[in-house]
Amino acid sequence: MASSDSVLKTLEETYEYICTSCAEDDLIKEAVKYCVECQRYCCQDCINIHRRIPVTKDHSFLDNSSVKSQGQSRSLPAIPTKQCSKHVGMIMYMYCKNHDVVCCHTCAVEDHRSCQDMVSVSDNIDQLYSQTDTSKTSSDIDRGIDDMNGEKNNTDALLQQLRDSKDAAIKTANDFRIEMEQLLRKLEEASVNEIENEYKKLETQLLDDKKKNDDLIDDLKNLKQLLVQASGNIAQQFVCSKLAQQYINTMDTGNISSSNIRYAEVLFRPWDELKTSIESKTKLGTTSAMLSGHDDLYKVTKTCKMDVRSLDDLHGCSITGSCIIDDTVLFTDSRTDKLIRYDILSSSLIDYCSTPRDPRGTCRVGDKEVAVACESVVQFLSVEDKLALSRSLEMKHKSYGIAYSNDKLYITDESKSLYMYDMSGNILKTVTSDNSGQPLFERSNHITFNDKKDRLFVGDDEKGLVCFNAECDYIETKTGPDVRPDGVCVDSYGNVIIANYHSSTILQCGRDGQKLGVIVNEANCPNHPRSVCIHTRLQRMFVSSYGNTVWVYHLCGK
């Protein structure tokens, strides 16, 4: 007796096409149609089931004879199943060689009527498929997915940046309201003090008059008492009467200033123009929102200057470095050996702290800590409440520019070298030349990372903008007559801002260091700028040179 497996095998060999779904359940039935959407051969029973189910009842069926199968009848046939996005229900089975596109019959009629090389995909699949680099297409798709994931991550970062900027903008509005309330409170206190002072003046005057009245009344009462006591002694009554009359005639009431006064009051009349000025405003300030590209060139809308001398310094300072910490800006003063902190919005001094000799560059190394490159030491300071010295690292070379990333310090010496340190003060790498042995620096100045922390920029006012990766491997040097930076910094978009020492200009470069344009020309820039820092959200840029003055530029996108 034949086994069941041999029977199934015999049946399978008997039918040219077998039902795909039934075969999966070890049932061999002859397929009579091919479902385009399911990409399966179907027996009559499965077709009937298809037509009873709402999801599949509109599927398209092809006769087996119209299906070109590759290899065994169990394999998928070489026919297109993709429906046209323009014409519902139409299969994209045509290929236009002239335009290198696939389309449905309706598309062929409407858009490719004049094309000479229109062929059926199914009939020419062997030739067409051999000409199509499917693996390359798959790689292109993977690359596209990676690119889109990168764009998606960038969009997520922008959304977070937008949320953070909204919160910061609301905080700024709240802080401004509090500041205005404090100003109004001060005005109120001044007005109340003035009212109290004026009241005291009049009160003192009236109390003095009252005392004079009381004294006169007491004198008159005494005279009256004497007159009463003299009753029965007409001689004594005569004397007392004359004395009383004489006192009354000579009594000085002119000294009592209130004798002719009918009103005593202190009035306060508010300044209507102050109220009108506030009432004329519909909000506390202006709001702007923008989606700007990484390479949009900043535009200066306003320029002002700050005198950044500390309170106990009347002899001047020399600002050689700066950095942004939250909504404050820090300046290093190499003349008085101080780190000075200012509030950005109010341009007011917050505090300052003495540092080791000759502070130059400064950078953030944590949420509440900064590092300052001094002559032969890196000094760390807390910025949590008041500026305060903390630990320090001794250097065996001069320190000028400083940057921080991933628990490493990057330090220049204003000469020929760039150093990479760990946070314990151990030198991890020293860079002086490129792979060919050529010196990289004439004067290694300030230093900064881009926003992704994968590229390091060193300003050299003789060589140009020298670029490295995060491991201090040399990449290239950006040069040009106006690319001779001392100060360098990066905004939140990754743009590199450079302060050109010799040309006295401020340039904006892209994330890769490529020049985008001039933000501040020589006519509007301090002579020989030494440091630059930028607050992207508040759109303020600070540029320092020799002396007490820091130039503050209000910015907007292009």
Side-chain angles (χ1 to χ4, degrees):
M1 183 176 181
S3 66
S4 59
D5 288 342
S6 61
V7 172
L8 291 174
K9 187 174 188 305
T10 302
L11 289 173
E12 185 175 351
E13 292 173 348
T14 302
Y15 302 135
E16 182 178 1
Y17 299 96
I18 62 174
C19 178
T20 307
S21 298
C22 292
E24 291 173 351
D25 294 330
D26 292 328
L27 297 174
I28 305 303
K29 291 186 179 181
E30 183 178 11
V32 295
K33 297 283 186 181
Y34 177 79
C35 178
V36 174
E37 286 78 9
C38 294
Q39 300 187 47
R40 301 168 80 88
Y41 292 101
C42 297
C43 64
Q44 190 59 52
D45 291 338
C46 289
I47 293 173
N48 295 336
I49 293 173
H50 257 67
R51 289 172 175 165
R52 288 199 299 269
I53 300 174
V55 178
T56 60
K57 70 177 183 178
D58 294 326
H59 282 194
S60 302
F61 289 96
L62 300 177
D63 292 333
N64 291 336
S65 59
S66 63
V67 175
K68 181 178 180 180
S69 178
Q70 293 177 311
Q72 297 295 324
S73 59
R74 286 179 177 271
S75 64
L76 292 177
I79 62 168
T81 60
K82 177 69 175 175
Q83 293 193 9
C84 180
S85 59
K86 289 175 59 179
H87 305 102
V88 180
M90 302 296 291
I91 303 298
M92 301 177 72
Y93 72 96
M94 301 294 291
Y95 173 63
C96 176
K97 294 183 178 180
N98 301 92
H99 294 98
D100 191 25
V101 295
V102 291
C103 61
C104 71
H105 176 75
T106 306
C107 287
V109 173
E110 292 179 351
D111 303 327
H112 302 276
R113 186 184 299 272
S114 61
C115 296
Q116 300 299 316
D117 291 325
M118 293 290 298
V119 297
S120 166
V121 173
S122 297
D123 294 341
N124 297 271
I125 188 59
D126 292 334
Q127 176 188 2
L128 295 175
Y129 188 78
S130 64
Q131 296 173 354
T132 303
D133 189 352
T134 304
S135 62
K136 180 180 180 301
T137 302
S138 178
S139 298
D140 290 342
I141 292 173
D142 291 339
R143 192 179 305 111
I145 291 173
D146 291 340
D147 291 343
M148 289 304 100
N149 281 330
E151 291 297 325
K152 178 185 174 183
N153 292 337
N154 182 62
T155 302
D156 288 339
L158 289 173
L159 286 169
Q160 186 59 49
Q161 185 183 73
L162 182 63
R163 285 189 286 268
D164 292 344
S165 67
K166 182 203 72 170
D167 294 340
I170 292 174
K171 182 179 183 300
T172 300
N174 290 337
D175 290 346
F176 183 72
R177 186 258 306 163
I178 293 171
E179 184 180 355
M180 292 298 294
E181 289 176 349
Q182 291 172 345
L183 289 174
L184 288 173
R185 192 172 293 112
K186 287 182 179 179
L187 294 177
E188 178 189 16
E189 290 174 357
S191 296
V192 170
N193 288 336
E194 185 179 47
I195 291 170
E196 289 287 355
N197 290 336
E198 293 301 317
Y199 168 80
K200 287 293 183 183
K201 290 179 184 178
L202 295 183
E203 182 189 43
T204 299
Q205 179 181 332
L206 292 176
L207 288 175
D208 185 58
D209 287 348
K210 180 181 177 182
K211 184 177 184 308
K212 291 178 181 179
N213 283 324
D214 289 339
D215 291 343
L216 290 175
I217 291 172
D218 289 342
D219 289 343
L220 290 173
K221 285 183 176 180
N222 289 334
L223 290 172
K224 177 68 177 291
Q225 184 65 28
L226 290 174
L227 191 60
V228 171
Q229 290 175 352
S231 178
N233 183 346
I234 57 175
Q236 181 63 15
Q237 283 184 329
F238 175 79
V239 171
C240 290
S241 177
K242 288 300 179 180
L243 289 174
Q245 192 64 48
Q246 182 181 0
Y247 183 84
I248 293 171
N249 292 336
T250 59
M251 186 172 58
D252 186 8
T253 58
N255 253 353
I256 303 175
S257 59
S258 61
S259 57
N260 296 319
I261 295 175
R262 294 295 176 264
Y263 299 99
E265 56 187 353
V266 178
L267 302 177
F268 176 76
R269 293 183 177 84
W271 282 340
D272 291 335
E273 58 268 28
L274 180 60
K275 180 182 178 183
T276 302
S277 176
I278 295 176
E279 288 177 340
S280 67
K281 306 298 182 183
T282 58
K283 48 189 182 297
L284 290 177
T286 59
T287 301
S288 61
M290 60 181 173
L291 298 174
S292 57
H294 294 307
D295 58 353
D296 286 349
L297 189 66
Y298 284 111
K299 179 180 178 182
V300 176
T301 60
K302 180 183 177 182
T303 304
C304 53
K305 299 177 183 179
M306 291 172 54
D307 188 330
V308 295
R309 283 178 291 186
S310 56
L311 296 178
D312 61 355
D313 173 36
L314 301 178
H315 303 292
C317 55
S318 182
I319 304 302
T320 50
S322 58
C323 75
I324 299 295
I325 301 293
D326 301 327
D327 289 346
T328 68
V329 57
L330 301 178
F331 300 110
T332 56
D333 180 3
S334 60
R335 181 173 297 171
T336 64
D337 298 334
K338 288 186 178 69
L339 183 67
I340 308 170
R341 178 163 57 173
Y342 270 77
D343 179 79
I344 291 178
L345 288 176
S346 65
S347 297
S348 59
L349 175 67
I350 298 175
D351 58 356
Y352 55 91
C353 181
S354 295
T355 66
R357 187 175 183 274
D358 199 20
R360 298 292 178 137
T362 180
C363 70
R364 188 172 200 159
V365 296
D367 289 340
K368 299 299 181 182
E369 190 176 39
V370 297
V372 178
C374 302
E375 181 174 357
S376 58
V377 65
V378 171
Q379 180 65 56
F380 295 89
L381 296 95
S382 170
V383 295
E384 185 167 5
D385 295 316
K386 290 187 176 182
L387 294 176
L389 299 178
S390 57
R391 61 196 179 98
S392 62
L393 299 176
E394 295 293 332
M395 301 286 111
K396 295 182 180 180
H397 55 80
K398 181 179 180 180
S399 301
Y400 188 88
I402 187 169
Y404 169 82
S405 178
N406 292 327
D407 286 332
K408 296 183 183 68
L409 290 173
Y410 301 78
I411 301 171
T412 61
D413 61 359
E414 200 184 16
S415 183
K416 309 288 186 180
S417 303
L418 164 66
Y419 302 90
M420 180 168 67
Y421 282 83
D422 64 20
M423 294 302 285
S424 298
N426 301 308
I427 294 181
L428 303 178
K429 195 169 187 178
T430 301
V431 181
T432 58
S433 57
D434 61 16
N435 291 333
S436 65
Q438 295 299 312
L440 287 173
F441 307 106
E442 283 294 329
R443 186 158 45 240
S444 54
N445 297 319
H446 286 294
I447 182 173
T448 189
F449 271 97
N450 69 1
D451 59 325
K452 292 186 175 181
K453 302 293 185 181
D454 61 0
R455 184 165 286 207
L456 181 68
F457 300 96
V458 179
D460 187 318
D461 57 280
E462 296 296 334
K463 290 271 191 174
L465 187 64
V466 190
C467 309
F468 300 85
N469 64 17
E471 297 303 318
C472 287
D473 298 322
Y474 174 68
I475 298 175
E476 62 180 335
T477 299
K478 301 291 185 180
T479 62
D482 56 352
V483 183
R484 295 288 186 270
D486 186 341
V488 292
C489 71
V490 171
D491 69 4
S492 298
Y493 303 119
N495 294 300
V496 184
I497 312 299
I498 64 176
N500 289 301
Y501 183 81
H502 296 293
S503 63
S504 297
T505 56
I506 308 299
L507 263 62
Q508 179 177 334
C509 303
R511 181 181 283 121
D512 59 354
Q514 188 65 37
K515 175 184 171 182
L516 298 178
V518 177
I519 303 176
V520 181
N521 58 29
E522 184 177 4
N524 299 300
C525 186
N527 193 33
H528 298 313
R530 306 181 68 187
S531 77
V532 60
C533 63
I534 187 170
H535 195 302
T536 308
R537 177 174 55 80
L538 296 180
Q539 297 188 312
R540 299 285 194 278
M541 182 172 66
F542 302 86
V543 179
S544 71
S545 183
Y546 300 96
N548 312 321
T549 302
V550 171
W551 293 49
V552 185
Y553 299 92
H554 295 232
L555 306 173
C556 69
K558 183 167 62 176

